[in-house]
Amino acid sequence: MSSPTTEPAPAARAETTPVPASPPAEPAAPTGSKPAETAPTETAPDAQEQNLADPSGPGILPGNHWTQQPLAGAGDNDRDSTYDGDIASSTNSLTSSILAYRTIQGRTFHSDRTPAEYWGPNDEKQSECMDIMHHTLTLILDGKLYKAPLDMTKVQKVLDVGTGTGIWAIDFADEHPNVQVIGTDISPIQPGWVPPNVFFEMEDATQAWTFPDNSFDYVHIRYLFGSIVDWERLMREAYRVLKPGGYVETFEADARIFSDDGSVAENSPLDQWGKVFREGGKKFGRTFMAVSDNVQRPALEAAGFVNLVQSDYKAPLTAWPADKKQQQIGAYSHLSLEQDVEGLVLYTFQQIMGWSTAELHAYLAHLRRQLRDKSVHPLAPLRLIYAQKPL
């Protein structure tokens, strides 16, 4: 594998050159100071996890714990929130089986008549949450949609895997009107009014892709944590459909929430978020800890990709940082969570972990309260890797 060049690292980012996987370390903190460049870093599972009495998993408090805790200072306006700063061609011939959505607690999820399994709702409320998160992720990349060193004079065809609302594909198509962009997903929730060079197709990324070999110049994969059983198989498909010399880019996160200063306390709602998702992923057979479990790099290397370049981030989840860029990232992250935090946890906490509706709502009330506490400084780990198919 040839060695890539290392880019200068802005705040809260460390660019890394490829080395064999090693014991993990945390990425750089999102402060105003520029971090030192580091070797590739991997994030270890929470070393403070301990077995409690509850059988639902290591370190997990039972759902009824939250119904028994008083919510000091909480009123009837728990869903209200304030934020720092002034942040405030469609798929053809969709079959009735694809549109036969499941309904859970009044929320719609993708059809159960397909072999795919996804934990998030596909309704309008969750779509707005995803679109806000898209903006957050572009802020992390300094307003860019990708980091791979694409020669746009040669790029003709791009694939966006797990396109969701299609917002990334639409933005890319707008930026590059001479490039054909195809977005795939298991739910037809993308808009019908789109740029003429973007197309959406129904496809399950966990199965064999229907595209021919050597047909794309760039494959974009983002936020599939909690959805993939076999990451190596996913990357092998990306390798197959890419032209020689083409790039794949994978941008993933953990459901783990932590802090560098101890303000996310053990057994607090934010601490429990990651622990419940970790155990839910084990039962679900799809990890929610893409960074901690280091799923991207080994899968890319096993598929045959070379010239891997890795960037690790610690993304603030509220607007607590003093650094203006990180503050904006945190404000939009918080806005995304407030938009539909219930949709983010509903399937995993209830359908997989067996929490009752009362337990779920009590937990979310405590979670919202902690998110609005400015003395708490929550962070989430993210990892972006781009790699090349050999010529």
Side-chain angles (χ1 to χ4, degrees):
M1 179 175 69
S2 59
S3 177
T5 57
T6 302
E7 302 173 6
R13 186 182 86 191
E15 294 287 1
T16 60
T17 53
V19 298
S22 57
E26 295 287 5
T31 63
S33 60
K34 180 178 179 180
E37 295 181 353
T38 65
T41 58
E42 316 295 343
T43 307
D46 192 343
Q48 296 181 355
E49 285 187 358
Q50 53 184 327
N51 290 316
L52 301 182
D54 181 57
S56 56
I60 298 177
L61 297 171
N64 62 15
H65 166 84
W66 303 105
T67 62
Q68 299 166 5
Q69 304 304 308
L71 192 63
D76 294 331
N77 297 322
D78 189 58
R79 291 183 181 272
D80 295 337
S81 179
T82 57
Y83 301 94
D84 296 331
D86 190 21
I87 307 296
S89 135
S90 59
T91 307
N92 294 323
S93 303
L94 299 177
T95 65
S96 59
S97 63
I98 293 174
L99 293 170
Y101 296 145
R102 291 175 294 170
T103 301
I104 301 172
Q105 296 291 327
R107 305 296 300 275
T108 60
F109 291 74
H110 75 88
S111 171
D112 57 5
R113 301 181 192 180
T114 68
E117 192 71 24
Y118 182 64
W119 52 274
N122 61 5
D123 52 22
E124 184 176 355
K125 189 174 180 66
Q126 179 60 199
S127 293
E128 291 175 358
C129 173
M130 289 191 289
D131 284 351
I132 297 170
M133 183 51 61
H134 164 75
H135 182 67
T136 306
L137 297 177
T138 59
L139 288 175
I140 291 172
L141 300 185
D142 299 317
K144 299 177 181 177
L145 294 172
Y146 59 93
K147 291 197 65 177
L150 304 179
D151 182 352
M152 294 309 303
T153 64
K154 297 179 180 179
V155 174
Q156 298 175 321
K157 198 171 181 180
V158 166
L159 177 64
D160 183 30
V161 179
T163 195
T165 66
I167 191 169
W168 184 94
I170 292 169
D171 284 355
F172 191 97
D174 274 334
E175 283 189 9
H176 307 288
N178 295 323
V179 176
Q180 184 186 59
V181 183
I182 297 176
T184 64
D185 205 279
I186 56 173
S187 287
I189 60 174
Q190 304 77 33
W193 189 259
V194 297
N197 57 320
V198 65
F199 306 90
F200 296 115
E201 299 185 10
M202 301 302 302
E203 181 150 291
D204 179 2
T206 66
Q207 306 298 313
W209 299 0
T210 58
F211 304 105
D213 297 357
N214 308 316
S215 54
F216 290 94
D217 301 284
Y218 173 59
V219 173
H220 177 259
I221 302 172
R222 188 178 72 177
Y223 264 45
L224 294 188
F225 63 101
S227 307
I228 304 300
V229 176
D230 188 342
W231 284 87
E232 185 176 325
R233 177 179 180 178
L234 180 78
M235 297 308 175
R236 284 201 306 266
E237 285 298 293
Y239 187 95
R240 180 184 64 78
V241 303
L242 274 172
K243 299 174 185 176
Y247 283 91
V248 63
E249 186 163 330
T250 165
F251 196 1
E252 292 298 336
D254 273 4
R256 184 171 66 95
I257 299 174
F258 66 100
S259 62
D260 284 334
D261 59 4
S263 58
V264 176
E266 183 83 10
N267 293 332
S268 68
L270 287 169
D271 171 72
Q272 286 292 298
W273 173 284
K275 291 176 180 178
V276 176
F277 270 109
R278 178 182 290 281
E279 189 63 21
K282 291 177 182 178
K283 295 183 177 184
F284 195 35
R286 298 159 174 82
T287 182
F288 286 94
M289 304 294 166
V291 179
S292 298
D293 291 344
N294 190 32
V295 300
Q296 296 153 283
R297 178 177 288 271
L300 289 165
E301 292 175 335
F305 285 104
V306 298
N307 298 336
L308 278 70
V309 175
Q310 174 175 316
S311 302
D312 285 344
Y313 306 87
K314 290 179 179 180
L317 297 182
T318 61
W320 62 264
D323 177 82
K324 293 300 183 183
K325 173 187 171 182
Q326 298 302 317
Q327 185 180 99
Q328 191 177 40
I329 291 170
Y332 276 108
S333 294
H334 191 182
L335 182 62
S336 177
L337 287 169
E338 291 278 356
Q339 169 62 28
D340 190 23
V341 68
E342 181 180 16
L344 294 174
V345 303
L346 180 60
Y347 190 86
T348 303
F349 281 52
Q350 281 203 305
Q351 302 300 306
I352 299 177
M353 299 300 291
W355 288 28
S356 71
T357 299
E359 291 168 348
L360 181 69
H361 287 171
Y363 167 76
L364 291 177
H366 287 280
L367 179 74
R368 292 188 183 99
R369 182 65 52 180
Q370 191 179 20
L371 282 169
R372 297 167 193 170
D373 184 347
K374 294 183 180 180
S375 68
V376 180
H377 303 149
L379 297 164
L382 293 86
R383 174 167 297 157
L384 184 152
I385 305 178
Y386 64 78
Q388 189 175 28
K389 180 175 180 176
L391 290 169

